[in-house]
Amino acid sequence: MSLINIRDLSFEYEGSFEKVFENINLQFDTSWRLGLTGRNGRGKTTLLKLLMGELEYTGKIISSVDFEYFPYFTDTSCFTIDVIREIAPQAEEWQIHKELNMLEKDGSLLYRQFSTLSGGEQTKILIAGMFLRENSFLLIDEPTNHLDINAREILAAYLKRKSGFILVSHDRAFLDACIDHILVINKMNIEVQKGNFSTWNENRKRQEQFEQTQDERLKKEIRQLEQSAKKAAAHSDKIASTKIGFDPAKTEKSVSRRVSIAKKSAKLMNRAKSMENRIEKNIQEKNKLLNNVEEVSSLKISPLKYHSSQLIDFRSVSFGYNSMTIFEDVSFKVCQGDRIAICGRNGSGKSSIIKLISGENKEYQGSITIASRLKISYVAQAAENLYGTLENYIEKYQINESLFKAILRKLDFSRELFSRPIESYSQGQKKKVMIARSLSEQAHLYIWDEPLNYIDILSRLQIEELLKVSGVTLLFVEHDKQFCEQIATKQIFL
């Protein structure tokens, strides 16, 4: 057990208008299971790369352990056992089998070519190998993107039995299941708390409520002080004016009255000045509040109304390729107002169903009836192929530019990003572009294939709130358990 110390860390990308981190000071224990979260583009992956020493920075990072980064890149043509031995050469075979058992994976995977494994199997193999390394502190960057709900639960249970890692994830249930501390990159600072995501989220809500109350109190007090200061200053000026313009020896009973008037005027002026000082102090206190409150503005969507209730009839459909059956005898209907989640393990055919409805796959058995002239807005699973400018993207999809950019702004997109090429965006920012485009489109049916990969938690909450109140018809695949529970009105299990 030892400490990792980050002192006065500052970093900025070349050509950027602002620093990613400035004079950051952090300390965390190498035995912690530390979750790392924050809005897209805040610097989560950057922080991991700084710990790895891949980027130049000012300040100090002091640690007695070796940092290891996931995803680990390796030669996929090797056998799986050779991949693990490359990562952890000192590991004995019984230790390797033990790790695989904890991940509910059979030892036969070790003697298959690594490239033949599914994305989820590769994730588990690589993480198991990295935990077999000695004196290592793991930096695990979004491991759930290739995992279905069941696989996420298995990996979370595995990580809960481990220690000494930072885990970047936007899956709330996954974070809650396996971390004991959380590090959050806020707008104005970075904070570390004991507990999981839900613990931090409750603390955040209480803090924001307290600061909101303080903010309102200070605003009210400032208004009252400003009014009182104005009255005191005006009254002081009025009294001071009586000291001049006449001969007090002739008009006053006592020549000492000018002295008393001066004292009264000075007293009122001092009172006004004291109020101004209190106003300034309150303004300074107020400016310390609500700096980390995230803007979670409501999103909007304008779905089209179809003239009949039923949009899709999927009847006794079977599908496969290369003599391999993917799914068989699947039936369901999509009616207006349905929000249907297609559920199942990786490889069960969830994306294949979406592609059949979208017209990509042609060969199937059974009957698929799609309503005539049905307008569909589709968000694909992959975002790697996005490139060019936002203007080109807008022109390609013929969407309203003002609406599209307004949605991106509400999803915490900085204006600086509008002028940058899309290929320079983070994965989360690319997915936001795809979702904002879909929300900008008027359609009868919205089909989203794993839309939340890489999307930050606050943006997920925004999307959840929109979908629950919009009356939109949605067919989707998603492995975020809480999102499915919140959104789906029906579920199809493969």
Side-chain angles (χ1 to χ4, degrees):
M1 183 187 299
S2 60
L3 295 176
I4 297 169
N5 283 291
I6 300 175
R7 297 178 184 171
D8 297 321
L9 176 70
S10 295
F11 172 78
E12 62 183 310
Y13 285 104
E14 186 177 350
S16 177
F17 294 110
E18 56 186 29
K19 291 184 178 181
V20 180
F21 301 115
E22 187 168 12
N23 298 327
I24 296 299
N25 290 282
L26 289 172
Q27 185 181 81
F28 43 92
D29 200 294
T30 56
S31 66
W32 287 358
R33 302 190 303 271
L34 182 62
L36 172 57
T37 191
R39 284 277 207 178
N40 293 130
R42 290 275 169 83
K44 299 182 295 296
T45 298
T46 300
L47 179 60
L48 300 189
K49 289 182 177 180
L50 288 168
L51 291 172
M52 287 291 296
E54 295 180 6
L55 302 171
E56 292 187 7
Y57 59 89
T58 60
K60 289 184 178 180
I61 298 175
I62 304 169
S63 173
S64 61
V65 294
D66 298 323
F67 294 108
E68 302 292 340
Y69 183 76
F70 172 90
Y72 183 93
F73 297 101
T74 185
D75 181 2
T76 59
S77 64
C78 296
F79 285 104
T80 302
I81 185 68
D82 295 325
V83 170
I84 291 182
R85 284 174 176 155
E86 176 191 335
I87 299 170
Q90 84 292 341
E92 297 185 22
E93 193 158 335
W94 68 268
Q95 293 175 307
I96 296 171
H97 282 278
K98 179 183 176 183
E99 297 299 309
L100 293 186
N101 285 335
M102 285 193 286
L103 286 165
E104 299 185 17
K105 285 298 171 186
D106 190 83
S108 61
L109 289 180
L110 297 172
Y111 306 101
R112 284 174 52 188
Q113 197 172 17
F114 190 71
S115 61
T116 66
L117 305 185
S118 69
E121 288 170 335
Q122 290 182 359
T123 293
K124 290 180 179 180
I125 291 293
L126 293 175
I127 288 178
M130 293 171 77
F131 272 111
L132 286 168
R133 287 182 69 95
E134 294 179 348
N135 196 43
S136 292
F137 187 87
L138 269 60
L139 310 176
I140 309 171
D141 197 356
E142 303 208 42
T144 60
N145 288 321
H146 296 295
L147 303 182
D148 57 44
I149 291 176
N150 181 66
R152 291 183 187 202
E153 291 175 347
I154 292 170
L155 181 58
Y158 174 81
L159 291 175
K160 191 172 184 179
R161 299 170 68 175
K162 300 295 182 178
S163 62
F165 61 81
I166 294 178
L167 168 67
V168 177
S169 178
H170 299 300
D171 186 319
R172 293 154 285 180
F174 185 74
L175 285 171
D176 280 350
C178 62
I179 65 172
D180 56 19
H181 288 76
I182 187 160
L183 188 156
V184 183
I185 303 179
N186 295 313
K187 287 196 297 185
M188 301 299 293
N189 66 348
I190 299 180
E191 60 178 328
V192 179
Q193 289 186 16
K194 186 176 181 180
N196 57 24
F197 172 80
S198 293
T199 304
W200 170 81
N201 199 34
E202 286 302 314
N203 290 338
R204 176 184 68 86
K205 289 176 181 177
R206 282 195 290 267
Q207 180 67 23
E208 287 184 5
Q209 188 175 17
F210 169 76
E211 291 192 9
Q212 191 69 53
T213 302
Q214 289 290 95
D215 185 68
E216 291 300 323
R217 181 186 67 79
L218 289 169
K219 281 181 182 176
K220 184 177 180 181
E221 192 170 324
I222 288 168
R223 286 195 298 268
Q224 291 173 342
L225 287 169
E226 285 174 341
Q227 291 173 0
S228 298
K230 285 179 182 177
K231 287 180 182 178
H235 196 191
S236 172
D237 291 342
K238 185 176 180 180
I239 291 172
S241 69
T242 64
K243 296 191 297 181
I244 59 175
F246 59 88
D247 184 350
K250 293 180 179 179
T251 59
E252 301 291 332
K253 294 180 180 178
S254 171
V255 292
S256 65
R257 184 171 177 185
R258 283 184 69 183
V259 177
S260 66
I261 290 172
K263 288 181 178 179
K264 187 175 182 181
S265 174
K267 184 178 180 181
L268 287 169
M269 285 299 293
N270 287 337
R271 183 182 169 196
K273 185 60 69 176
S274 175
M275 289 178 185
E276 288 175 4
N277 290 335
R278 284 174 61 191
I279 290 168
E280 183 62 32
K281 183 180 178 182
N282 283 1
I283 289 173
Q284 290 176 1
E285 288 183 23
K286 181 182 175 302
N287 288 338
K288 295 176 184 177
L289 302 172
L290 305 174
N291 288 323
N292 277 323
V293 173
E294 299 284 358
E295 295 293 333
V296 188
S297 304
S298 297
L299 300 172
K300 290 184 179 181
I301 190 172
S302 301
L304 295 174
K305 197 78 173 172
Y306 198 71
H307 58 78
S308 64
S309 173
Q310 185 171 298
L311 304 183
I312 293 175
D313 186 6
F314 210 81
R315 188 175 300 176
S316 300
V317 177
S318 299
F319 173 74
Y321 55 86
N322 296 335
S323 302
M324 181 174 65
T325 300
I326 304 301
F327 61 83
E328 55 186 347
D329 200 26
V330 173
S331 299
F332 63 90
K333 294 180 180 180
V334 179
C335 297
Q336 285 198 79
D338 287 343
R339 300 193 298 268
I340 300 177
I342 305 175
C343 305
R345 295 198 174 197
N346 287 337
S348 60
K350 301 182 297 296
S351 293
S352 296
I353 286 178
I354 283 178
K355 289 178 180 178
L356 283 171
I357 294 172
S358 301
E360 289 188 39
N361 294 330
K362 302 297 183 183
E363 301 298 326
Y364 62 90
Q365 296 174 336
S367 170
I368 302 174
T369 304
I370 300 175
S372 176
R373 296 182 180 178
L374 186 73
K375 288 190 175 182
I376 295 175
S377 177
Y378 174 55
V379 172
Q381 186 179 130
E384 288 79 8
N385 296 326
L386 268 64
Y387 59 90
T389 66
L390 279 184
E391 281 65 31
N392 293 338
Y393 189 83
I394 291 165
E395 184 178 353
K396 177 181 177 181
Y397 287 96
Q398 294 294 297
I399 52 178
N400 183 291
E401 180 177 358
S402 297
L403 176 60
F404 173 68
K405 289 185 175 179
I407 293 171
L408 286 176
R409 289 287 294 145
K410 289 182 177 181
L411 290 170
D412 198 50
F413 234 66
S414 69
R415 286 191 174 87
E416 179 192 346
L417 288 172
F418 291 163
S419 60
R420 284 170 49 187
I422 297 175
E423 55 266 32
S424 69
Y425 293 177
S426 70
Q427 290 297 319
Q429 289 164 342
K430 288 179 181 177
K431 290 304 292 257
K432 285 182 178 181
V433 167
M434 297 169 72
I435 289 172
R437 185 260 304 160
S438 184
L439 296 179
S440 301
E441 293 174 332
Q442 288 190 311
H444 300 111
L445 173 65
Y446 295 81
I447 299 180
W448 291 357
D449 191 359
E450 296 191 33
L452 299 184
N453 281 352
Y454 302 103
I455 297 288
D456 64 75
I457 292 173
L458 290 175
S459 296
R460 293 180 187 216
L461 293 173
Q462 285 174 283
I463 295 166
E464 280 179 15
E465 290 305 310
L466 167 69
L467 296 176
K468 285 190 289 188
V469 302
S470 64
V472 68
T473 305
L474 178 69
L475 183 68
F476 69 98
V477 175
E478 182 50 56
H479 299 304
D480 184 319
K481 185 177 180 181
Q482 289 193 20
F483 183 86
C484 291
E485 290 174 351
Q486 290 286 325
I487 297 305
T489 58
K490 298 179 183 178
Q491 294 182 331
I492 301 165
F493 292 94
L494 302 180

